[in-house]
Amino acid sequence: MTLFANLLFAAMLAPSFNSAEWLEKRAVLTREAERLQAVYAECAAKITDPATDVVVPIETFSDGSIRSEIRAKKAMYFFNEGYIWAEDVMVFRYDETRKVVSQIDAKNMVIDRVTKSGWADGPAVVRHESTKFEGEGIYFSSMEGYLMSLKGAKITAESLKFGGAC
């Protein structure tokens, strides 16, 4: 089978894709990214005396173990709003065995602990399993499994294997 035939066959077997639903969801997540951009600017303007060398849990599993956390050189928690502003930050997401599944490295970031989403202002790198995503102005939603970059997106995937002859 040719590559085209393989793709056509796979497309026929795949569940139908609802493009209107996807575009609507994408529009909602884009507005969320814009909201967090504004939140980042507001938080950055209010930074007075950030804590140093901080580790903050974001999510936990049902047994209370940490599912995701922030590690930052500097951070400030905005308790009333539920935001964490961080500088020189790494965000880790673990599986149940405490193995790192995803990691985000960024210079500056704001995280909304309620929506489990964040905005990395400037360049950032996201690693998920064997895939690396780089860009500037990165929005992520843990709950939606969504990632977007405003500028310079580059995706590198290791160990990709394509079946059949091309």
Side-chain angles (χ1 to χ4, degrees):
M1 243 184 196
T2 67
L3 177 60
F4 177 74
N6 282 332
L7 291 174
L8 183 59
F9 184 68
M12 291 180 348
L13 294 177
S16 63
F17 177 74
N18 185 334
S19 61
E21 184 180 299
W22 165 244
L23 289 173
E24 184 179 319
K25 182 177 182 177
R26 184 171 178 255
V28 168
L29 293 170
T30 299
R31 285 192 300 275
E32 178 67 4
E34 291 167 352
R35 179 187 74 83
L36 283 177
Q37 273 183 283
V39 166
Y40 173 84
E42 291 168 15
C43 289
K46 295 177 188 175
I47 299 301
T48 53
D49 189 22
T52 57
D53 298 320
V54 175
V55 177
V56 179
I58 302 171
E59 294 177 271
T60 57
F61 288 106
S62 58
D63 67 359
S65 62
I66 295 174
R67 182 176 191 164
S68 61
E69 69 183 3
I70 298 172
R71 295 181 191 173
K73 295 271 187 213
K74 294 181 181 178
M76 189 163 175
Y77 200 120
F78 293 86
F79 289 102
N80 294 336
E81 298 91 350
Y83 303 128
I84 301 170
W85 171 91
E87 184 177 283
D88 292 326
V89 61
M90 294 183 294
V91 178
F92 295 95
R93 186 172 180 101
Y94 304 100
D95 65 12
E96 292 84 2
T97 66
R98 192 75 177 148
K99 177 184 171 207
V100 175
V101 176
S102 301
Q103 178 179 338
I104 303 172
D105 299 314
K107 182 68 178 158
N108 300 295
M109 182 181 291
V110 68
I111 300 217
D112 184 333
R113 291 191 67 194
V114 174
T115 63
K116 312 292 189 267
S117 59
W119 171 259
D121 194 62
V125 177
V126 180
R127 290 176 186 82
H128 178 75
E129 296 173 354
S130 64
T131 304
K132 180 174 154 184
F133 181 90
E134 300 173 81
E136 291 187 41
I138 289 182
Y139 165 76
F140 66 92
S141 171
S142 175
M143 293 173 69
E144 295 291 335
Y146 185 81
L147 180 67
M148 131 178 135
S149 175
L150 291 186
K151 181 179 169 187
K154 178 182 172 184
I155 300 172
T156 308
E158 299 173 10
S159 304
L160 283 180
K161 297 178 183 174
F162 297 100
C166 294

